[in-house]
Amino acid sequence: MNAFRRIQALRSHMARYELDACLLSSPENIQYMSGFQAITYSRPIFFLVNHTSACLIIPALEEDHADLTSTGVEQLRVYYEHPEKVSVAGSPLDHLKQLLSRGTRLGVEFSAITLRMADTLRALGCQLSDLSDTLKSMRYVKDSQELDCIREGGRLCRYAFEKTLEHARAGVSEMELEQYGTQALYELLGDDYPYSFSSPSCITPSGVERTIMPHVYSSCRRLARGDMVIHVRKPAINGYYAELERTFFIGRPSDPAKRAFCAMVEAQLAVFERVRPGVPAADLDQAGRDVLRKYGYGDYAIHRIGHGQGLGRHEEPYLSCQTDMVLQENMVFTVEPGIYIPGVGGFRHSDTIIVTKTGFENVTAFPRTLDELTFDL
């Protein structure tokens, strides 16, 4: 399975850089390396890999969940919170003290580990080395199983979007509107759905004032004629996200809104034309911005043109002017030029695409034109 291959790749990195072990603490990287996916709150989970074993340190409430037969984990160590057993197995730190010896050259995620934890590991005598960039580079390019999950997420996005837009009309609240698609999605999955489905939530800001805030939660605001609406869906399949976003209108848009919307669509299509292996990711950001600047919207394009998709809602590759990333086959990312104009509104489409040998595959292909996305006329 993939977890075993990934652990071997991590061990090759350890050998190359003379590390004795690696300690992972971020949920995404633990799932990527071990296959173990958990809902995490305040209880720490660690994945410790050395040259001969792979050990998962978990709280007792995950003990039945952490199935060794379906992950790359070879050993479980459990810690407890109830007094009947807390003295038997101790704390996560007690386990680490038993597993790490003084002088251990230890790879950790500087991007995820706390300063307190770093100090604790150094107090145990460990010499810390950063694994963050190594783990990012391992996750850049998706394998066939990851791509299958993302494609399935795209299919669910398209289905739920279609069902949502069937109810796009004045008088419906933002939250009420998105629930039509969510309910249809649950009914579609049925009793024998073969994947683990999560993250049914979405956001649906509407109107001139709320759509200029790119990451605002949905509210009870009711849609009115003349509103633009940015609807976002982002389901996760076995932990892997796909993303579909569309701006649509309730009734005919104003002339300034129509002009901004059409510029945004043109920018997205310009980015699509540049996608293929070997192209710098920064060139895609530039392609979208060139279109928006042509129409005078450069100052309103306040975020990068896209971001990677996978176990993270946002991950590498980032389509930004500040990256030196070069596109590779089977990278997955969104293309989402957005403009946010006070007094006019916000406008953003987002599609999730897979880089192919000669171009790209759009797993969230969905109507994008003004005529297709104007409702309740």
Side-chain angles (χ1 to χ4, degrees):
M1 70 177 284
N2 291 339
F4 295 105
R5 292 198 300 270
R6 292 167 183 169
I7 289 170
Q8 286 306 114
L10 186 60
R11 285 176 174 147
S12 296
H13 172 86
M14 289 161 53
R16 187 179 310 120
Y17 291 95
E18 298 182 337
L19 298 176
D20 300 309
C22 293
L23 182 68
L24 306 187
S25 54
S26 70
E28 290 174 14
N29 284 331
I30 289 175
Q31 181 181 352
Y32 182 78
M33 293 302 308
S34 72
F36 175 66
Q37 181 184 14
I39 299 173
T40 57
Y41 295 107
S42 57
R43 301 171 183 87
I45 295 175
F46 297 110
F47 187 49
L48 182 67
V49 178
N50 61 29
H51 291 285
T52 59
S53 68
C55 176
L56 194 64
I57 301 173
I58 57 172
L61 74 171
E62 301 291 350
E63 189 171 5
D64 292 334
H65 177 196
D67 181 0
L68 294 182
T69 63
S70 61
T71 67
V73 180
E74 297 158 342
Q75 179 187 166
L76 286 180
R77 283 185 169 244
V78 182
Y79 63 91
Y80 300 92
E81 298 174 296
H82 52 296
E84 287 76 9
K85 284 197 172 183
V86 71
S87 61
V88 175
S91 67
L93 181 57
D94 292 329
H95 286 293
L96 290 175
K97 287 179 179 178
Q98 295 169 21
L99 293 166
L100 299 171
S101 58
R102 183 160 294 277
T104 295
R105 292 164 297 185
L106 184 66
V108 297
E109 304 159 88
F110 281 9
S111 59
I113 196 171
T114 65
L115 289 173
R116 176 176 292 179
M117 188 63 193
D119 287 344
T120 297
L121 292 170
R122 290 190 178 104
L124 294 177
C126 296
Q127 304 171 32
L128 304 187
S129 177
D130 188 19
L131 284 175
S132 301
D133 288 344
T134 297
L135 293 168
K136 285 180 184 178
S137 65
M138 291 177 70
R139 290 171 53 183
Y140 286 161
V141 176
K142 287 0 185 219
D143 63 31
S144 60
Q145 292 181 17
E146 292 175 299
L147 294 177
D148 285 346
C149 290
I150 292 168
R151 289 188 180 102
E152 174 64 6
R155 182 182 79 91
L156 297 187
C157 280
R158 298 194 306 271
Y159 179 82
F161 234 93
E162 182 179 348
K163 297 302 181 182
T164 294
L165 293 182
E166 289 176 359
H167 299 273
R169 62 181 183 273
V172 176
S173 75
E174 295 173 358
M175 290 192 290
E176 183 182 0
L177 178 65
E178 62 193 30
Q179 282 304 107
Y180 286 114
T182 300
Q183 180 63 33
L185 199 57
Y186 284 140
E187 293 171 356
L188 173 72
L189 299 183
D191 296 330
D192 57 352
Y193 190 66
Y195 299 94
S196 169
F197 170 80
S198 61
S199 188
S201 62
C202 40
I203 62 172
T204 313
S206 63
V208 171
E209 294 181 358
R210 285 177 52 73
T211 55
I212 65 171
M213 298 180 282
H215 290 163
V216 65
Y217 286 111
S218 301
S219 74
C220 294
R221 180 187 184 274
R222 296 196 176 275
L223 277 54
R225 295 188 65 80
D227 275 349
M228 69 289 299
V229 184
I230 301 177
H231 183 50
V232 178
R233 285 206 174 262
K234 204 174 179 88
I237 305 299
N238 292 354
Y240 286 86
Y241 289 92
E243 176 180 289
L244 173 59
E245 303 178 353
R246 286 293 184 269
T247 302
F248 64 90
F249 293 95
I250 303 299
R252 299 191 185 281
S254 67
D255 287 341
K258 184 187 302 185
R259 183 175 186 272
F261 175 94
C262 292
M264 175 272 293
V265 173
E266 184 178 332
Q268 191 189 38
L269 295 176
V271 176
F272 285 155
E273 290 178 359
R274 295 285 292 139
V275 177
R276 61 184 178 275
V279 173
D283 284 8
L284 273 62
D285 185 78
Q286 182 71 35
R289 290 184 189 282
D290 283 347
V291 172
L292 298 177
R293 290 179 182 128
K294 179 178 70 172
Y295 291 100
Y297 297 127
D299 288 343
Y300 305 111
I302 58 176
H303 59 66
R304 58 201 168 210
I305 293 295
H307 57 81
Q309 289 287 98
L311 290 172
R313 292 173 183 262
H314 286 203
E315 62 180 44
E316 293 281 6
Y318 292 112
L319 309 187
S320 164
C321 62
Q322 298 172 312
T323 183
D324 58 2
M325 177 78 67
V326 174
L327 302 188
Q328 300 177 50
E329 184 180 359
N330 292 336
M331 281 184 167
V332 180
F333 50 81
T334 66
V335 176
E336 50 175 301
I339 47 178
Y340 310 92
I341 310 168
V344 176
F347 309 88
R348 185 179 70 251
H349 286 354
S350 178
D351 283 283
T352 300
I353 67 172
I354 302 170
V355 180
T356 63
K357 290 183 183 298
T358 58
F360 68 93
E361 171 190 351
N362 187 348
V363 303
T364 55
F366 196 80
R368 72 184 68 252
T369 67
L370 184 63
D371 288 342
E372 293 170 309
L373 294 172
T374 302
F375 301 93
D376 198 19
L377 291 172

